[in-house]
Amino acid sequence: MKQLLKYLAFCAIAVLLNSCNDSESDLLEAKVYFESKEHTIEALNEQPITYELQSRVSSAYSSPVEVCYEIAGQNAVKEYNQKYGTNYETFNAANVKLGSNVTTIPSGAIYSEKTPIEFTNLENMEEGKSYLLPVRIQSSSLPAIAGSDIIYFIITKPVQIKKVAQFQSNYIRIPLASGTMFTSVTYEALIYISQFGSNNTIMGNEGILILRIGDTALPGGHNDWIQIAGSKQYHSTQAFEKGKWYHVAFTYDQPSGKTAIYINGSKAAESTWDTPSFDLASTGSGGFFIGKVANFMWGERPFYGYMSEVRLWTVARTENQIKQNMLSVDPNSDGLAAYYKLNGTDQFESDGKSYVKDASPNGMDGLANGGSSQLTIKELETPVTIK
């Protein structure tokens, strides 16, 4: 019996050692992969764009390694979108030209020869949309490193915003129906500050939920910090600068209670709330405004500068969604309640009153300056850029 137990113990140790050796051998085995996971291409004009594709091995191999490239399909795009919370469309493979589907990593070398990949017909891309093209690496000589066997090309056609609305005691009132309750919510806007004041209104309902710059009651009297205020409030400590474009956003996800302030697509401050809902249509202080709180008893708190791409949502947008859509968004996006591009082409007159057209299909046309006058539109020398 003792001999049998010794034998079994010896076998278990042998299996364990062999397993360890296999794991070590697997780690040391040369594999092919892409060094870069993503590469962004901006289609600024109609000219084709070429990128030099290059793969490598994890360690030098004693023989030449043949590498094959193939364009992955919609499933790879779908998996990427699900993993990162994005909504990229698949770039049309017919508009992609690979210099060759096959390349070689020479014996004893690390990198492959460079293979050109050309993106064409870029003039047919829709402005503001982003597309994804996954390219997969394979080799008959060596295995590929899982997770690094695909490089994702993000192809974008940047939005060129050159006309924006000037706010200098101007405002828009959003016609939310009485009793409109928001559980989850997102505020978004592109802003350019010309002058700091006290409580410079970006958007919202005073006393309920308002996004603003420069509450001098903040620690140190900072009039260059962004704040969400109302029945709940908190702020970021990042100082804003005059003469510079920013994308700002606020989100509240009621089921989780998580709330955040974003600056240029990155989280700048966060908190946790227990508020079941917000009555953003409340008329206690006049309703929901963009630019200033008209006729507010304690001061109208105007914003001084320019704005564009102002949006109100009934959902809490994710960080990726915010970052991906700072300069434009699909007007038919789920949860988009009101959308004002503020480029001048969206202003109109009706029954002797001035309005700003809601770009969403919800008919939330905003009343400009109480209906008395249109907003002043500024034409920029260079398009809006977020850095």
Side-chain angles (χ1 to χ4, degrees), residues 54-57 59-67 103-114 142:
Q54 189 174 44
S55 52
R56 65 162 293 174
V57 287
S59 59
Y61 197 60
S62 58
S63 302
V65 178
E66 186 177 271
V67 173
T103 188
T104 300
I105 301 175
S107 173
I110 297 293
Y111 293 97
S112 72
E113 301 167 352
K114 292 181 179 179
L142 296 174

Side-chain angles (χ1 to χ4, degrees), residues 251-330:
T251 64
Y252 174 57
D253 178 56
Q254 194 277 331
S256 67
K258 292 182 179 179
T259 170
I261 293 172
Y262 296 90
I263 301 173
N264 296 343
S266 298
K267 189 181 294 183
E270 60 186 328
S271 185
T272 301
W273 293 352
D274 57 1
T275 306
S277 62
F278 294 95
D279 182 6
L280 297 184
S282 170
T283 58
S285 58
F288 194 105
F289 291 98
I290 299 167
K292 78 173 183 180
V293 186
N295 303 313
F296 186 49
M297 67 182 75
W298 295 327
E300 295 186 316
R301 303 174 175 180
F303 179 88
Y304 300 104
Y306 307 116
M307 286 198 213
S308 180
E309 292 290 315
V310 180
R311 309 166 198 154
L312 172 64
W313 302 78
T314 60
V315 294
R317 299 278 281 175
T318 67
E319 185 167 350
N320 278 334
Q321 288 173 330
I322 290 169
K323 187 172 295 185
Q324 187 182 339
N325 298 279
M326 289 191 289
L327 299 183
S328 180
V329 75
D330 184 348

Side-chain angles (χ1 to χ4, degrees), residues 172-176 290 337-340 346-348 350 354-368:
I172 303 168
R173 187 179 188 279
I174 299 181
L176 295 175
I290 299 167
Y339 180 16
Y340 307 100
D346 52 358
Q347 298 198 90
F348 67 97
S350 178
S354 297
Y355 291 89
V356 179
K357 181 72 176 175
D358 175 16
S360 84
N362 300 320
M364 290 284 188
D365 297 337
L367 191 65

